Amino acid sequence: MTEPAAASAVRIALPHGEKVTHRDVAANGARFHIAELGDGPLVLLLHGFPQFWWTWRHQLVALADAGYRAVAMDLRGVGGSDRTPRGYDPANLALDVTGVIRSLGEPDAALVGHDLGGYLAWTAAAMRPKLVRRLAVVSMPHPRRWRSAMLRDARQTAASSYIWGFQRPWIPERQLTADDGALVGRLIREWSGPRLPDDADVETYQRAMCIPSTAHCAIEPYRWLVRSLARPDGIQFNRRMKRPVRVPTLHLHGSLDPVTRTRSAAGSGEYVEAPYRWRLFDGLGHFPHEEDPAAFSAELINWLKDPEPDR
């Protein structure tokens, strides 16, 4: 894929023609692509695997209409952001996120993260609490809950079989890009609930994964998560995550999520020393923000506007 073709796969318009602004910002020694819409308090949206900023297309519009500056960033190595040779451990990726907040000229942000983006949102809130105004996490337990579930819950281990498969060298990258990214489409459909995504949406994610080096970079964080479980750096990170989250937290999950079990995610509130709200979306899978964007956006915006959530 040529550089212009890669850019055209990422810097795309919103579904109904809203004029999202695409630009690059520098943070933590790298360059990050962002898509931006609206004015007001900053809400920074972090995507998961196997996606990029476009997963938040519905929420960008809803948040902008509600009076927020909505910004969706591409994580390191994905979409239009730099594909660096290293730096895919969660502590460094969280510094990418907080660095983008600073580069946007804002004192803080409400962080909204899905899947891997949710893992990084938890991490950023613990590591740089002054930069995180509120925290909303989708389809991802607290990092310490994730680690415990992966090691002690046989059902969660089985549900996360794709992560164990990522530990092989080179083979996962080739599988993700074979047949124009067909595996990406299969994973998204299998992980969704009954409201399956449109074929055009799936093809958008497939094209983005086929940008050179993206598959490798998208897998690297998961390699670190597993390979570090018994290493000093992983154990040290797990200890750092004992630090409680001290900002209002909204935890959203789909009842039919086949990747992250509800049992694994529930209970993350024990790491939050602030108002904590758990919301289970009945009948939705791993991508509630795409499967039912209206209900998801309403839940998120109502919570953001609540001056004293759950007090």
Side-chain angles (χ1 to χ4, degrees), residues 45-162:
L45 303 150
L46 312 175
H47 66 83
F49 175 88
Q51 301 176 309
F52 65 113
W53 76 266
W54 200 71
T55 190
W56 298 112
R57 60 197 178 280
H58 304 294
Q59 285 70 44
L60 283 170
V61 176
L63 287 164
D65 289 345
Y68 293 95
R69 181 187 184 189
V71 176
M73 68 177 281
D74 285 330
L75 301 181
R76 182 182 292 255
V78 178
S81 294
D82 278 351
R83 286 151 180 75
T84 58
R86 59 188 63 85
Y88 295 94
D89 60 284
N92 192 64
L93 292 172
L95 292 178
D96 292 345
V97 173
T98 55
V100 166
I101 295 172
R102 290 188 179 278
S103 292
L104 292 172
E106 298 283 357
D108 55 32
L111 279 187
V112 182
H114 170 254
D115 187 80
L116 176 63
Y119 193 101
L120 302 182
W122 282 118
T123 305
M127 289 177 53
R128 294 290 187 271
K130 292 182 180 179
L131 291 174
V132 181
R133 183 175 70 254
R134 290 199 182 193
L135 175 66
V137 179
V138 191
S139 308
M140 176 57 65
H142 185 277
R144 288 181 63 86
R145 292 278 301 183
W146 183 90
R147 186 180 194 274
S148 177
M150 288 290 283
L151 291 175
R152 301 175 185 173
D153 186 341
R155 290 186 178 181
Q156 182 60 65
T157 300
S160 302
S161 60
Y162 71 100

Side-chain angles (χ1 to χ4, degrees), residues 122 135 137 140-146 241-253 262-279 310:
W122 282 118
L135 175 66
V137 179
M140 176 57 65
H142 185 277
R144 288 181 63 86
R145 292 278 301 183
W146 183 90
M241 288 301 102
K242 284 184 178 179
R243 187 180 305 163
V245 172
R246 293 193 170 96
V247 297
T249 300
L250 175 65
H251 201 173
L252 304 161
H253 204 81
T262 302
R263 180 178 177 180
S264 301
S268 295
E270 68 178 287
Y271 298 102
V272 181
E273 292 184 0
Y276 172 84
R277 182 182 300 178
W278 166 261
R279 169 73 158 92
D310 304 317

Side-chain angles (χ1 to χ4, degrees), residues 190-215:
E190 289 177 356
W191 296 351
S192 298
R195 304 185 186 192
L196 293 175
D198 293 337
D199 290 344
D201 295 333
V202 171
E203 289 168 5
T204 298
Y205 294 120
Q206 292 179 200
R207 284 192 296 272
M209 185 62 74
C210 290
I211 297 172
S213 299
T214 299

Side-chain angles (χ1 to χ4, degrees), residues 45 59 63 112 136 250 296-305:
L45 303 150
Q59 285 70 44
L63 287 164
V112 182
L250 175 65
F296 180 94
S297 298
E299 184 76 23
L300 175 62
I301 291 167
N302 288 339
W303 176 78
L304 287 171
K305 288 187 174 294

